[in-house]
Amino acid sequence: MLRKPGPTQTALEMVTLEELVPKDHLLRKIDAVIDFSFIHGVTAALYCADNGRPPLDPTLMFKALFLGYLFGVRSERQLVREIQVNVAYRWFLGLKLTDPVFDASTLSQNRRRRYDDTTVAQEICDRIVEQAIDHGLVDGRVLYTDSTHLKANANKNKYDKAIIAKSRADYWEALDAAVEEDRTGRGHKPLKPRDRTPPETETKVSRTDPESGYMVRDGKPKGFFYLDHRTVDGCLGIITDTYTTPANVHDSIVYLGRLDRQRVRFGFDVAAVGLDAGYATAGIAKGLEDRKILGVTGYRNPTPPKPGMMNTNRFVWEPENDGYRCPAGQLLAYATTDRTGYRRYTSDPARCRECSLLTSCTTAHKPQRVITRHVWQDARERTDALRLTPQGKAIYKRRKETVERSFADAKQLHGHRYARFRGQTRVAYQCLLAAAAQNMKKIALAMTRNHALNPA
């Protein structure tokens, strides 16, 4: 006989949170292998020890934020509502079924007043990496670096034009020394001392989030974005570093500095790195050689010539003659080395004036062809050649399985397509906590899998 079910919502049951959370839940795995006790020590200096109202426990607060990144909850208000009704979240945070949940404004006010820089977030991210190292999941021998864009919380149509300084690479001092050494060795006078002020350019600046950058890249959407420059370890894909810049900062600008930070912070003995074509510059190639690191970069298409004009690759470099041989047989001899680190090789105008290839060689008023070669071009060519070796091919193949996979997971599962906040510091805070959450997940799954394969 069909009966009408009675109300069950008010029925009294004797249960515990431990019974309600599935044994194989991700949060159980994370809680079993990740030690969060260090958060108190990291944040203690930001709290008064003997005065004021009792604060929200910092460990509880950061664990709550990690829930948002782990499960792709972008809104902190929505996160608080989820904690109220999700027993697994309550279990992870140590809240009973009847415990009240903090207000969402507590998170925003703490971020605004107490955690107003990335110091704590960076330290938490680093500590999680160290736990992965302790578990044997990171070796630091092969690192992969790339960047991905996060859409800024800004309308691309609301902007002003402004003159701003371009980003400065972190190897300019070494380049200045190389230029002076090259000029001196060739008998040229040293260049006059000059302040290394970055060049300025006109660009669009958002009225909503002025710290974001206007991105114009082939195959990418145009608008205001931030870049997350991320490095992952080749062993399991653990994120070892993340650094946030406006989207108009080139990938290669900050690379060497962040690589050195990881080597010092974690004691990595880096043997090789895998990079995409955006990092294929002479400065990075020289920097990697100086650090005795094998660099494997993607192929970078050269700038094509104008229609009807001769391609630069038809000029053959002859190191024994320190010059370029043109298709007509003339040797373009060394002329000078400029401040930007490029040697200039020029042809003889008298011979070029009589050459049948002149009209397809140059459109300059003076009948002369100029070829430039960077002072570190030899290092760049050696790095390019590594990509074609069996070892280089194996390293580069792993790039899509490590750093590209890390970004794909971040965007698809952890809400990393959009900047949740405005301002570079707050977006950097987001990227650091998102990286820490992804690492927790990877560590937990790897340790659980290892335990299943090798039970005690």
Side-chain angles (χ1 to χ4, degrees), residues 15-17 20 60 83-87 89-101:
V15 296
T16 63
L17 277 175
L20 298 176
L60 186 149
I83 293 172
Q84 289 174 342
V85 300
N86 192 309
V87 293
Y89 292 0
R90 283 180 172 270
W91 178 89
F92 183 67
L93 298 177
L95 298 175
K96 298 193 294 288
L97 285 172
T98 56
D99 284 343
V101 181

Side-chain angles (χ1 to χ4, degrees), residues 99-140:
D99 284 343
V101 181
F102 52 85
D103 193 87
S105 63
T106 304
L107 300 177
S108 60
Q109 292 302 324
N110 267 282
R111 184 173 58 252
R112 183 176 297 114
R113 299 178 182 182
R114 184 174 282 118
Y115 302 100
D116 57 352
D117 59 26
T118 60
T119 304
V120 171
Q122 181 69 69
E123 184 64 21
I124 290 175
C125 187
D126 289 346
R127 293 290 189 93
I128 298 299
V129 174
E130 288 175 344
Q131 292 190 32
I133 295 173
D134 293 340
H135 287 304
L137 304 178
V138 175
D139 61 13

